Amino acid sequence: MQDIQHYIQENKDKFLTELLDLLRIPSVSADSKFKADVRKAAEFICEKLKTAGADSAEICETAGFPIVYGEKIIDAALPTILVYGHYDVQPADPYELWNSPPFEPVVKEEKIYARGSCDDKGQVYMHLKAFEAMMATNTLPCNVKFMIEGEEEVGSDNLGTFVKSNKEKLQADVILISDTAIIANDIPSIDVGLRGLSYMEVEVTGANRDLHSGVYGGAVANPINVLSKMIASLHDENNHISIPAFYDDVVELSGEEREAMAKTPFNLEEYKKDLDIDEVRGEKGYSTIERASIRPTLDVNGIWGGYIGEGAKTVLPSKAFAKISMRLVPDQQSDKITELFTKHFESIAPEGVKVKVRAHHGGEPYVTPTDSIAYLAAEKAMEESFGKKPVPTRGGGSIPIVALFEKELGLKTVLMGFGLDTDAIHSPNEHFGLFNFYKGIETIPLFFKYFSEESSK
Ligand code: BES
Ligand code: MN
Ligand code: MN
């Protein structure tokens, strides 16, 4: 592997310059204002796949944003790795909290600051450059397929259809994704779990119009007061979610599994310090690591209604709204939880208001087996590049499409991510360490090598 590591060293600056170009494209999938830019990012990825040496790369149209598909088949008898990632990014709002503009990337203190630098353009780009390096040094040991989508941040609505109608094309032996984090740069880890998701929106309506809060206040239900109370009732005093049957399908970890988890390196003091909080808060009886990985959650993501302009306006609003997400764990099912939430939320509405509940996207949880060839290959690859064996960890985020890959393609996924939890993904000042970017590029070819070697045994 001497050659390839040499190639990577020689091309470091070029890799970075190209990534910064990609980061300049504001490919925000949630906001229609950026529609043309999302497509531009797809074209950029497609072009780079071609120049890196793919046999073919194409922009596959969907009902939404396109999927970039590319492949290099060196021998049908060899194993095939399917790389998945996303080129779309979260909205950059609120812009005023960024220290430098989100789509004008800067490198500061060894970190790349830009929306998407870590989630997931920076990590997708590691794969493209690792592929380029393997091609340039004639060391690609197996077949590779790339499927890079543009709707991950908005629920991957059209990827399911694409997968279902392209099963032949997507045939592979394993799926490899870099869209998660390691514990620290000197504590490599591999995410072996993702949480599922049910995302809801609720609307509470009181009177048919906004009212004078002096003339009507106290006599008519205030939808914001009511909604606040309804939301507050969704957790009990132990921070347990109070929706009936919510926990019915939750798999409880064994004492042994929890003990193993408690050994995962984690510094509570540093965690609190990083977030500038004096205490953590969550479900009674579980550690912070457990609360953020193997336990389900319910959180308000946004809440609005009434007057929020400058000064004071005395008004009793007609409506109040909230967006609520629930993170799910095995064996909870998104559809079932969505239904439980809907029924419960409607049932707790007091007289005097009308409640509407609407479901946004959802997704199922996923757990990666740690005894597969692919997991062992990732472990060996990271051990070699970091000089330390990676620890398996359960992650708290969601990549809903992973469970669907298993269902539709019968493929397991390895989540070999290189970000850090502190990279501020989805947040102002998102960044990605240069160390992490280059470490990813170095590690991916090792995964290819060990996966191919182990598969042929
Ligand atoms: N890359 C994240 C998921 C992630 C982050 C997993 C960190 C593990 C650790 C992904 O882009 C994401 O943000 N997913 C969404 C779900 C989607 C349906 C909007 C999420 O988790 O909120
Ligand atoms: Mn992501
Ligand atoms: Mn994301």
Side-chain angles (χ1 to χ4, degrees), residues 274-290:
D274 175 52
L275 301 175
D276 198 10
I277 51 174
D278 55 4
E279 200 42 274
V280 290
R281 192 176 153 80
E283 190 184 358
K284 193 173 172 189
Y286 294 91
S287 69
T288 298
I289 294 188
E290 289 173 333

Side-chain angles (χ1 to χ4, degrees), residues 87-151:
Y87 63 80
D88 66 321
V89 301
Q90 285 274 322
D93 314 68
Y95 278 69
E96 65 275 15
L97 296 183
W98 285 78
N99 297 327
S100 55
F103 299 108
E104 292 170 30
V106 289
V107 179
K108 217 170 63 188
E109 287 158 2
E110 302 287 300
K111 295 178 190 84
I112 311 159
Y113 284 84
R115 170 57 85 231
S117 54
C118 172
D119 184 13
D120 183 30
K121 284 171 167 174
Q123 301 209 59
V124 162
Y125 218 65
M126 300 177 323
H127 282 274
L128 263 58
K129 295 301 107 176
F131 171 58
E132 177 188 313
M134 289 188 278
M135 290 302 294
T137 54
N138 232 330
T139 54
L140 179 70
C142 61
N143 306 313
V144 58
K145 297 178 175 177
F146 294 91
M147 174 169 58
I148 314 296
E149 73 151 317
E151 298 186 312

